[in-house]
């Protein structure tokens, strides 16, 4: 069964400031929890375009959102193709540029992808080294683990997993694969465990957690895709429209925070002016609110995976 716990749903949908006749994009369809909440606030002339590259997610969403009819359009696509996907869905102005009222990103990996053993995302289930969100792509975790050189392995473990023992783990992987290819998630988890000092292994959760996160990010180019998609979202959202982003670790949040900060309008009027007359300089966004929104204690009690979640919202001006 496809199950997916949606985090910060009400806060994210409220942040989009839904208009009944507006056009909204859910870039991370997943379990369709956010999409259903958005669609329920739209009138007959409103539209929701949902994007996902996972066939299982799309099939589940198609069933869950079937009662909304033509209001909902589902597109199989990586969100880094946001502008192109919107054009394919018929959302484009006279000049061919898509214009929408809001864009939502929920960057957590869906519970089914983590929990279903055969996808290879989890260090808790022994499975083939896969980790592809889009099953049609060629690059898999097996290729990265068995073919990327030691220096590149150490880099992704350090940069994407924030792993302190990246060099030792990379060295352990390379030594092991010289004897025989590493085929299973269980093998990889044991290699990581062996590379980390025993005293460290006794604290901070499973020792392979950061390594698996790093390889998953590399397989799916998650950070590069998000940066591309966020840049496009700023372009396609019309003035008064909003972008809502839910992140689950510091790397994603840093991209969001930095990108928004570069685009935020800053008043350049002299401090003694009673009102702003400069129009905020060259910025295109304002933060609503200024600081990220965090899950409530009740949500944390219901879903431990929500603990690291942050919601940032920006409005186009």
């Amino acid at each position: 069964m496809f199950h997916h716990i949606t985090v910060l749903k009400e806060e994210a949908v409220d942040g989009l400031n839904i208009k009944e006749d507006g056009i909204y994009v859910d870039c991370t369809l997943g379990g369709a929890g956010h999409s259903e909440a958005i669609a329920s606030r739209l009138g007959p002339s409103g539209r929701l375009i949902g994007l996902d590259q996972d066939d299982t997610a799309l099939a589940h969403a198609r069933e869950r959102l079937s009662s909304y009819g033509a209001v909902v359009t589902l597109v199989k696509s990586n969100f880094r193709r946001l502008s192109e996907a919107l054009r394919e869905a018929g959302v484009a102005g006279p000049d061919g540029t898509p214009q929408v009222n809001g864009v939502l990103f929920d960057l957590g990996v869906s519970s089914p992808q983590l929990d279903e053993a055969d996808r290879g995302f989890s260090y808790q289930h022994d499975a083939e080294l896969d980790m592809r969100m889009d099953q049609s792509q060629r690059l898999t975790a097996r290729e990265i683990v068995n073919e990327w050189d030691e220096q590149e392995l150490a880099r992704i473990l350090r940069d994407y997993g924030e792993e302190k023992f990246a060099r030792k783990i990379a060295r352990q992987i390379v030594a092991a694969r010289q004897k025989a290819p590493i085929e299973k998630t269980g093998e990889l988890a044991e290699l990581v465990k062996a590379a980390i000092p025993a005293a460290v292994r006794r604290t901070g959760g499973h020792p392979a957690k950061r390594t698996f996160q790093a390889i998953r990010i590399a397989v799916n180019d998650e950070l590069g895709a998000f940066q591309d998609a966020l840049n496009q979202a700023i372009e396609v959202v019309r003035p008064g429209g909003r972008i809502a982003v839910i992140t689950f670790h510091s790397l994603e949040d840093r991209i969001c925070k930095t990108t928004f900060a570069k685009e935020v309008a800053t008043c350049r009027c002299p401090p003694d002016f009673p009102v702003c007359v400069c129009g905020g300089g060259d910025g295109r966004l304002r933060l609503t609110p200024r600081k990220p929104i965090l899950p409530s204690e009740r949500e944390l009690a219901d879903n431990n995976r929500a603990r690291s979640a942050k919601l940032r919202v920006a409005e186009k001006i």
Side-chain angles (χ1 to χ4, degrees), residues 89-109:
V91 180
D95 63 350
T97 303
Q99 289 284 280
V100 301
N101 297 85
V103 179
L104 171 71
F105 295 90
D106 173 8
L107 299 177
V109 178

Side-chain angles (χ1 to χ4, degrees), residues 255-269:
I255 290 172
C256 183
K257 182 179 180 180
T258 302
T259 302
F260 280 175
K262 289 177 181 176
E263 296 284 354
V264 165
T266 304
C267 178
R268 298 176 182 175
C269 298

Side-chain angles (χ1 to χ4, degrees), residues 2-308:
F2 194 105
H3 61 287
H4 178 70
I5 300 172
T6 303
V7 175
L8 291 165
K9 179 172 68 176
E10 294 302 320
E11 294 86 348
V13 177
D14 287 345
L16 288 175
N17 194 23
I18 304 293
K19 302 181 190 310
E20 285 192 359
D21 61 348
I23 303 172
Y24 297 87
V25 188
D26 185 350
C27 283
T28 44
L29 193 59
H34 287 111
S35 281
E36 186 171 38
I38 294 170
S40 69
R41 301 190 189 189
L42 296 175
S45 59
R47 283 196 73 186
L48 169 68
I49 292 90
L51 309 183
D52 209 295
Q53 57 186 346
D54 187 288
D55 289 318
T56 304
L58 286 164
H60 170 80
R62 193 169 289 111
E63 180 178 348
R64 182 170 180 175
L65 302 173
S66 60
S67 63
Y68 295 99
V71 168
V72 175
T73 302
L74 303 184
V75 181
K76 182 177 180 179
S77 175
N78 187 305
F79 56 44
R80 77 188 317 158
R81 296 178 55 250
L82 174 58
S83 296
E84 184 180 344
L86 289 176
R87 281 191 287 269
E88 289 175 6
V91 180
D95 63 350
T97 303
Q99 289 284 280
V100 301
N101 297 85
V103 179
L104 171 71
F105 295 90
D106 173 8
L107 299 177
V109 178
S110 69
S111 295
Q113 290 171 334
L114 290 175
D115 297 337
E116 291 178 7
D118 62 354
R119 299 298 295 274
F121 287 100
S122 177
Y123 43 79
Q124 296 175 329
H125 306 289
D126 195 30
E128 300 293 327
L129 278 169
D130 192 327
M131 301 194 194
R132 293 173 297 171
M133 292 181 183
D134 178 356
Q135 292 288 288
S136 67
Q137 79 170 40
R138 294 181 62 183
L139 180 64
T140 66
R142 185 190 184 282
E143 180 177 332
I144 289 176
V145 168
N146 287 285
E147 298 181 20
W148 287 20
D149 66 36
E150 183 177 325
Q151 185 176 358
E152 186 65 6
L153 282 173
R155 183 192 69 79
I156 65 169
L157 297 183
R158 182 188 67 243
D159 293 352
Y160 298 166
E162 299 178 299
E163 173 57 71
K164 294 179 181 178
F165 300 97
R167 283 186 177 181
K168 288 186 177 181
I169 294 169
R171 195 176 306 126
Q172 187 87 0
I173 289 171
V174 171
R177 76 191 191 191
Q178 287 174 346
K179 300 173 184 176
I182 301 164
E183 304 282 358
K184 297 292 189 75
T185 55
E187 294 175 66
L188 178 60
E190 287 302 312
L191 288 170
V192 174
K193 184 177 177 181
I196 295 177
V200 178
R201 294 202 304 266
R202 288 192 285 269
T203 61
H206 197 288
K209 180 178 180 180
R210 292 186 179 89
T211 293
F212 272 64
Q213 171 186 292
I215 294 172
R216 189 203 78 218
I217 289 173
V219 168
N220 299 287
D221 190 22
E222 292 177 32
L223 300 181
F226 174 49
Q227 182 69 77
D228 289 349
L230 190 57
N231 291 341
Q232 290 174 65
I234 295 170
E235 296 297 331
V236 302
V237 168
R238 60 181 50 141
R242 293 185 175 185
I243 305 166
V245 181
I246 301 170
T247 61
F248 286 82
H249 62 71
S250 59
L251 299 173
E252 299 165 338
D253 186 58
R254 193 178 306 143
I255 290 172
C256 183
K257 182 179 180 180
T258 302
T259 302
F260 280 175
K262 289 177 181 176
E263 296 284 354
V264 165
T266 304
C267 178
R268 298 176 182 175
C269 298
D272 57 342
F273 273 34
V275 296
C276 174
V277 296
C278 75
D282 298 328
R284 295 188 289 174
L285 303 177
R286 70 180 182 92
L287 303 181
T288 57
R290 294 176 65 101
K291 293 186 177 181
I293 299 167
L294 305 179
S296 66
E297 289 300 320
R298 181 177 177 180
E299 188 164 17
L300 291 174
D302 291 341
N303 178 15
N304 188 54
R305 285 178 182 167
R307 188 159 301 279
S308 58

